[in-house]
Amino acid sequence: MGTLQDLIFRINRNAKDTKGIVRQHKIPFAISNTIRVAFFIVFTLVAFLWATDIVEYIDPFKIYKPAVVACGGWIFIAAILVGSLFIYRPWCHLFCPFGLVGWLVEKISLYKIKVNYDTCIACESCANACPSSVMEAILKRDKVIPDCFACANCIDVCPTKSITFRVGKRDKPPEGKFAAKK
Ligand code: SF4
Ligand code: SF4
């Protein structure tokens, strides 16, 4: 499902995969993650209090088993797929319980996107090309870093080859390196 959303997102992308042909939007992480946490809480409460799995009704993975999707499920799935043209992986960012857990576990991931600030020229091409707000959060020293989907867009566009995906702690950018562009 993640790959399908990714493919749909790429349909509405320019040839260099740096921006949308029709404008694409990055929902601020504070908003998307609040919705995802709220959905997780509601989903958990409903499951424990009424023994009902609300994901069962809207589960977009059922697109691969269409005979069991109800009418409401099709409306939700269609909204996710159309939304994928304009927002990167809306199901993952806004609803997916596994996505939420994945974001938390990513904090202790061995592999991370890392920037070599000695060679970085602060052009911010990586932040612009990132389909999410991850690179921007990394460069701006945000305390909360959104989920990175390891798509490698940032690596591909960096003119100085300063970005790598490798083992180790992520360095913070030097104070003020990107401040002028805030
Ligand atoms: S790999 Fe780079 S471009 Fe892709 S989501 Fe992660 S930070 Fe953004
Ligand atoms: S694209 Fe490369 S050089 Fe430009 S800000 Fe990002 S890491 Fe630095």
Side-chain angles (χ1 to χ4, degrees):
M1 191 61 207
T3 305
L4 179 61
Q5 291 172 93
D6 216 306
L7 284 172
I8 293 171
F9 184 80
R10 307 284 165 183
I11 291 169
N12 181 24
R13 233 25 201 171
N14 67 2
K16 291 184 176 165
D17 199 9
T18 52
K19 65 176 183 175
I21 298 165
V22 178
R23 192 170 172 198
Q24 294 178 317
H25 302 272
K26 299 180 187 182
I27 302 175
F29 188 64
I31 295 175
S32 64
N33 210 36
T34 301
I35 294 171
R36 191 165 59 174
V37 170
F39 182 76
F40 183 79
I41 292 168
V42 170
F43 157 70
T44 306
L45 284 177
V46 170
F48 278 93
L49 295 178
W50 292 286
T52 301
D53 175 8
I54 55 176
V55 172
E56 176 72 17
Y57 300 103
I58 58 167
D59 182 1
F61 287 80
K62 284 187 178 163
I63 196 170
Y64 300 106
K65 209 175 172 187
V68 300
V69 182
C71 181
W74 277 121
I75 292 169
F76 183 82
I77 292 170
I80 290 292
L81 297 184
V82 173
S84 298
L85 284 166
F86 308 105
I87 299 166
Y88 188 56
R89 294 181 177 235
W91 166 257
C92 311
H93 278 122
L94 295 166
F95 301 105
C96 182
F98 180 78
L100 179 61
V101 174
W103 167 65
L104 292 170
V105 175
E106 193 182 313
K107 308 301 162 213
I108 55 167
S109 169
L110 290 180
Y111 279 81
K112 284 187 170 68
I113 283 289
K114 299 177 67 172
V115 179
N116 178 352
Y117 294 105
D118 293 334
T119 54
C120 166
I121 55 172
C123 66
E124 297 193 25
S125 300
C126 52
N128 293 331
C130 177
S132 183
S133 48
V134 189
M135 258 338 280
E136 190 179 342
I138 292 172
L139 300 184
K140 300 291 163 66
R141 302 168 65 105
D142 285 356
K143 285 199 174 69
V144 180
I145 306 291
D147 349 13
C148 168
F149 288 85
C151 69
N153 272 23
C154 51
I155 296 173
D156 290 343
V157 299
C158 179
T160 57
K161 305 288 171 227
S162 301
I163 306 179
T164 48
F165 184 63
R166 61 189 168 92
V167 176
K169 198 170 166 289
R170 182 185 288 139
D171 297 326
K172 287 215 174 228
E175 193 88 54
K177 189 168 178 101
F178 296 91
K181 297 179 182 176
K182 264 190 178 177

